[in-house]
Structure formats: structure tokens, C-alpha cells
Amino acid sequence: MDLHTIESVMIPRDRADLSGLGEHDGVLAGGTWLMSQPQPGLRRLVDLAGMRWPDLVVDGDGLQVGATCSIERLINASYPPEWEAVNLFGQCARALLASFKIWRTATVGGNICLGLPAGAMISLCAALDAELLIWRRDGTDERCAITEFVTDINVTILRPGDVLRAITFPSRPLSQPTALRKIAYSALGRSGALVTGRLDGADIVLGVTAGTRRPVVLRVPAEPERVREAAAAIPFAQFHTDAHGTAAWRRAVTAQLAREVAEELTGGRP
């Protein structure tokens, strides 16, 4: 896609270079969405690759993922063997239904910042208690959960000039058993509903995305029927209708997927 309104490209080297960003600046990470359609409101692209943020940092607290880390790098890296939840990295990426060529360019942060219901990295953040680090335009930092970051379809708490810097996955969730279920109208269709589960002691942490307008995270006793009931109790207004599913269908299948996730994590215990 030729972005005919773009007059210049800036390559920032440090945070000070980002201080003047505004509503006519397009923050470029991978660019797979930005370059896919006209951007009539933009006059300048700001290429975050120049910041040279580390893709992945593993330490005792968990995993920090730079916002410019590609999806391919995230899913193919080596991690500590006790982090069994890293299986979700690939599972969520495949739910995006993008080709390997897109994985090589699309970034973790870019997918999150779009704020779309079927955002694969949004689903991953909901599953693993991710903490997002935002660099605000005024020079302050803000940390939040994905349920606070995405507020509606294609709407986040980012304001003009703000940048998502990193995503941190704590070591405890990374070390816990996980399960994922998704459903679509067609075998190769965009996710109509996606549910993740993580067994945390006597509870299941349930992440509900794709079918809802924003990510939903629930903590429920690890009993399949109670997990199904919790998912079924999500308010109907949270679900949305588009070409990939009606709100009523999404609400119904989400409850069933939640039960299946719980059954897998509990070994079928009632």
C-alpha cells in the first residue's frame, strides 16, 4: 500500500526523540497493518526499530518482551524448561491465522496496540497476567494489565504521542499448565471466540477474547461446571456481532469452550 499522505519518516534513537509525537504521526513497528490500508490522517511515520529494544529478556521475575519483537521471534525462542505455558505462544499466534511471512514482520506490540477482539497477542496477555509498560508523551511511565489497556474494539488507553514499550510475563503464570480453545465459522476463519485457561492452585484463570469487545479475565474454582457458569455470566453487552459471528452465538460457544478448557486442566474432574 502506498501511503501517499506521508511526508517524512523519522527513526528515533532514544526516548527523547519521541517527545514530539502527535496525532499525525504513525508509530511503525512491523507495519503489517499500517501498510495494509490508506492512512489519510498521517503525515509522518516513526520507525521504532531505531530504538533497538531487546526482543526478549529472561530473568528471575519472568520474561520481558520488547514491543518491537516479532511474533516469529517470540514463538521460536528458547525458554527455561519449567515454563510450560510458553506452549501458548505458538497456539495464540496460530489463532491469528497469519502466514509465516506475517509472523516474521508483525510485532507483539503492534498486534496489541490495534486493540482488535481477535488480537492473538491480546489473548496471550490475558492468559498469562501480562503487565504492559507505556511510555506516556509527557515522559512518565504507566503499567497496566491488558484488561485495562484495551477498552473496546480497536480502542486502547494510548493517546497521541504515547508508545507501548514492553510486555512482561511473570514467571509464576509461565510455569503453570495452560489450555486453549478457539472456534470460527469456518476451519480457516478468523477466531469467533477464543478461551484460554491456566491452572493456578485450586483456581483456573480464564481469559476470554475474540468474542468480546475487550479482553475478559476471570478467576474461578477449578471445577468445569463452575467455570462454564462464570463464562456464561459475562454480560451479553460484552459480546459483539460482525461477519465472523453473532453476539448470541459467541456467548454460547464461549461458555462451552470454557468448560472444555477446565476439563483439560483438571483431567476431567467434575
Side-chain angles (χ1 to χ4, degrees):
M1 174 63 67
D2 292 330
L3 302 183
H4 64 276
T5 63
I6 299 301
E7 300 169 354
S8 64
V9 177
M10 182 179 80
I11 302 177
R13 301 300 180 187
D14 55 37
R15 187 169 182 176
D17 292 338
L18 300 174
S19 61
L21 301 189
E23 61 182 7
H24 297 299
D25 291 316
V27 177
L28 174 66
T32 54
W33 176 82
L34 191 67
M35 299 292 186
S36 71
Q37 57 188 323
Q39 306 290 342
L42 300 184
R43 299 293 178 269
R44 181 174 66 165
L45 294 181
V46 180
D47 187 354
L48 293 181
M51 299 294 287
R52 299 188 181 278
W53 294 330
D55 284 340
L56 305 166
V57 178
V58 175
D59 59 27
D61 295 325
L63 171 67
Q64 184 184 85
V65 181
T68 51
C69 175
S70 71
I71 293 175
E72 180 185 59
R73 174 82 172 108
L74 175 73
I75 66 177
N76 289 333
S78 296
Y79 299 103
E82 65 271 19
W83 285 2
E84 56 182 303
V86 299
N87 291 329
L88 276 182
F89 294 178
Q91 291 175 330
C92 286
R94 285 187 286 275
L96 182 61
L97 295 178
S99 75
F100 67 91
K101 292 179 288 186
I102 295 296
W103 285 3
R104 289 176 178 173
T105 305
T107 60
V108 177
N111 186 260
I112 292 170
C113 290
L114 282 177
L116 297 175
M121 299 296 100
I122 293 175
S123 301
L124 182 61
C125 289
L128 298 177
D129 287 352
E131 180 183 74
L132 280 60
L133 171 61
I134 301 168
W135 280 359
R136 291 294 189 186
R137 183 183 182 183
D138 62 6
T140 61
D141 292 351
E142 181 174 339
R143 299 177 187 272
C144 66
I146 193 66
T147 51
E148 300 166 312
F149 184 83
V150 179
T151 59
D152 204 342
I153 297 174
N154 204 207
V155 180
T156 72
I157 62 173
L158 292 178
R159 299 186 292 268
D162 295 341
V163 171
L164 176 61
R165 165 61 183 89
I167 305 95
T168 299
F169 298 99
S171 57
R172 178 181 171 89
L174 286 169
S175 303
Q176 294 174 335
T178 60
L180 180 148
R181 293 289 188 280
K182 60 154 283 188
I183 192 169
Y185 273 173
S186 62
L188 296 178
R190 181 183 297 176
S191 300
L194 192 150
V195 176
T196 58
R198 173 168 51 85
L199 188 61
D200 185 7
D203 294 334
I204 285 178
V205 178
L206 202 68
V208 177
T209 54
T212 50
R213 302 186 66 87
R214 59 187 294 183
V216 176
V217 177
L218 305 170
R219 178 176 287 272
V220 190
E223 301 169 20
E225 182 57 23
R226 294 185 69 174
V227 171
R228 186 199 68 78
E229 291 173 351
I234 297 172
F236 183 77
Q238 289 279 0
F239 294 87
H240 67 104
T241 294
D242 63 12
H244 306 285
T246 65
W249 173 76
R250 282 172 155 143
R251 188 184 194 192
V253 296
T254 291
Q256 176 58 30
L257 296 179
R259 182 182 181 91
E260 292 178 9
V261 163
E263 288 174 343
E264 178 177 336
L265 290 173
T266 61
R269 298 195 311 269

